[in-house]
Amino acid sequence: MSSSLRKRILGFCTAFALILNTGTMTVYADPPQWPADVGIVAGAGIVVDADSGAVLFGQQIHVSYPPASILKLLTALVVVENCGMDEIVTFSDDAVHNLEPGAGNKLSLTVGDQISVEDCLHMMLLLSSNQSANALAEHVAGSREAFVEMMNKKAYELGCSPDETHFANPSGLNDDSQYVSAYDMAVIAAAAFENEDVFRISSTKKYSVAPTINNPNGANISMEHRIVMEESSGSEYYCKGAVAGKTGYTSKAGNTLVTYAERDGRRVISVILKGSDKYQYYMDAKNIMNFGFASFKNEPVNGAETFLQEQDPVELGGNTYPASRLRLEEAVITVPLAAQFSDAVRTVETDMPQGHPAAAVARLVYTYNDRKVGSGYIYDTELEAQLAAEEASRAAEEASRAAKESLDGAETESREAENAPAPEETEGTGNPPGPLSGIPLTENQILILAAVLVLAAVLGCGMILVARKRRRERIARQQRRERRRQRLQEIGYNEEDFEKLMQKRRENGKGQGRDRNP
């Protein structure tokens, strides 16, 4: 066989082998690029996914600017975490008058006004009342200075950076030592909107305030946030799903804006700082929220993550756990529409951030093209049970302590009544003796009374927890009904037509014997 023939045969075999191998070759494509086809006119802005925390768009997000009144979201959060909604706030001279010129007073609030915390929060978040912010701060902390310390402490607990964020008053009025970054403001807004009272009030469009000194018949107020208030899809400010937010403006801050929107099971939060005039800052917020909804999707961590299945036992932070003892919290990551969960890179952290859940032993952090797109804590279920038992024990101890204090008071009254001189008898006058008047309590009676008081305290705590749960469920149902009503309007249905359609589907489902999710 000639040399040339051998070369041709060898070349043919090589080519044939390559053809055969082509079908089994694995090609690893780079994940899709992060979308970037949006911009803003404002000095700084951000839109984040509220569930994953992923920054979908950002401009100057770690540069500090004056916040103006959007910081009232933090004021509201600190207030609702430290007092009841029905408590009465008394407006002092300092709360009403110690403000910079031009601060405004739309409801003519005055010294001596006594208004519920609920009404004050509505006036502060809907009308941006600076007097209400001051009065609430004094009511909660005794002084504005003490309340500001609470604000800063809360902000840093949430993860804000002292280098980027610091607050000097509860209203957002000008102060050279008051500033916030777009990123930190998004962190604060996310925490505020997670609170059911702050979310409910910051999404209220119209509200009636109880009578005040200068408003003896009360007052009707409306939200000032144009995107949230706009319900017509023909308006330039309309943004589908926008339901809550806060506006702000000062001479130093310019226009600032926080907006929360829900759409197709996703939630985003936008922040605009140093916005321009002519309402362009509204358009900035609308554009980046639409971008966030249209360009990304959320992928669930649970079901896709295999970390707890890859090893048993699991080594975390120098400790060893049976895999069955650990659980991964419900979480999502946010990725571009064309990407998949597997495109994200997972990192296991055991040195966790400040404020992490007490029963968490590690955190899975996910990045996509070096961007953080989500995270999920791993919990020790035995530690969770132990902490829950300790909390229940503390609650029982507090109830027992309250019962003992009540019992001590009853014994004191009994002894005082026993040693008190007998009252002069006057026919037809005086009050009947009380149930313990002049009757000494035996040891058995004291024990029985203590047991009854402890049981009453425990039952009372249980009733309070149940009432709070029912209240949260009721608010959630109301919000779902309102969102459903808005969606029905957008597609041309009314609620009656929708109920008829659902009834027909339920009847069809029963006839076909299908199982349906509620």
Side-chain angles (χ1 to χ4, degrees), residues 381-432:
T381 56
E382 290 187 8
L383 180 56
E384 280 186 300
Q386 177 186 335
L387 293 173
E390 292 174 356
E391 181 62 29
S393 177
R394 282 193 294 270
E397 288 177 1
E398 290 177 3
S400 177
R401 189 181 305 112
K404 184 178 183 302
E405 291 174 355
S406 299
L407 179 60
D408 291 343
E411 287 182 311
T412 301
E413 291 179 7
S414 177
R415 286 193 298 269
E416 290 175 350
E418 183 179 2
N419 297 326
E424 296 182 2
E425 294 186 2
T426 305
E427 184 179 354
T429 64
N431 296 319

Side-chain angles (χ1 to χ4, degrees), residues 201-468:
I201 295 171
S202 61
S203 60
T204 298
K205 295 183 178 181
K206 297 182 182 297
Y207 185 78
S208 295
V209 178
T212 61
I213 294 173
N214 290 326
N215 299 279
N217 297 319
N220 295 321
I221 61 177
S222 299
M223 176 185 283
E224 297 178 329
H225 196 306
R226 288 174 177 257
I227 294 178
V228 177
M229 288 295 290
E230 189 54 67
E231 298 180 353
S232 171
S233 59
S235 168
E236 63 178 333
Y237 302 118
Y238 174 77
C239 181
K240 181 182 177 183
V243 294
K246 183 71 191 77
T247 60
Y249 173 80
T250 68
S251 57
K252 292 184 178 180
N255 291 291
T256 62
L257 192 70
V258 171
T259 314
Y260 169 97
E262 300 176 349
R263 194 184 301 176
D264 300 327
R266 290 187 57 217
R267 309 182 303 152
V268 303
I269 296 171
S270 71
V271 176
I272 299 295
L273 298 178
K274 202 63 176 179
S276 61
D277 57 3
K278 305 295 185 183
Y279 302 114
Q280 175 61 42
Y281 58 101
Y282 280 117
M283 303 305 296
D284 285 342
K286 171 185 171 179
N287 291 340
I288 60 177
M289 285 191 296
N290 282 335
F291 165 80
F293 282 124
S295 304
F296 300 90
K297 64 180 179 180
N298 284 351
E299 292 283 346
V301 173
N302 298 73
E305 180 53 65
T306 61
F307 178 76
L308 296 181
Q309 288 77 48
E310 293 171 359
Q311 52 181 323
D312 192 5
V314 181
E315 298 285 342
L316 291 171
N319 297 314
T320 302
Y321 305 88
S324 59
R325 178 173 161 176
L326 302 176
R327 73 171 182 89
L328 178 60
E329 73 171 322
E330 296 289 335
V332 297
I333 65 171
T334 306
V335 294
L337 286 180
Q340 304 298 327
F341 180 87
S342 57
D343 292 325
V345 177
R346 173 237 292 160
T347 303
V348 182
E349 293 183 352
T350 55
D351 184 12
M352 292 177 291
Q354 179 183 5
H356 68 83
V361 294
R363 185 172 69 152
L364 302 183
V365 177
Y366 300 89
T367 57
Y368 182 96
N369 289 349
D370 296 327
R371 295 171 176 263
K372 182 180 175 182
V373 293
S375 63
Y377 283 105
I378 295 176
Y379 290 88
D380 178 351
T381 56
E382 290 187 8
L383 180 56
E384 280 186 300
Q386 177 186 335
L387 293 173
E390 292 174 356
E391 181 62 29
S393 177
R394 282 193 294 270
E397 288 177 1
E398 290 177 3
S400 177
R401 189 181 305 112
K404 184 178 183 302
E405 291 174 355
S406 299
L407 179 60
D408 291 343
E411 287 182 311
T412 301
E413 291 179 7
S414 177
R415 286 193 298 269
E416 290 175 350
E418 183 179 2
N419 297 326
E424 296 182 2
E425 294 186 2
T426 305
E427 184 179 354
T429 64
N431 296 319
L436 297 177
S437 297
I439 304 176
L441 297 175
T442 67
E443 184 176 350
N444 287 338
Q445 288 173 326
I446 291 172
L447 291 175
I448 292 172
L449 179 58
V452 170
L453 290 172
V454 169
L455 179 61
V458 172
L459 290 175
C461 291
M463 293 174 65
I464 291 172
L465 292 174
V466 170
R468 287 179 177 174

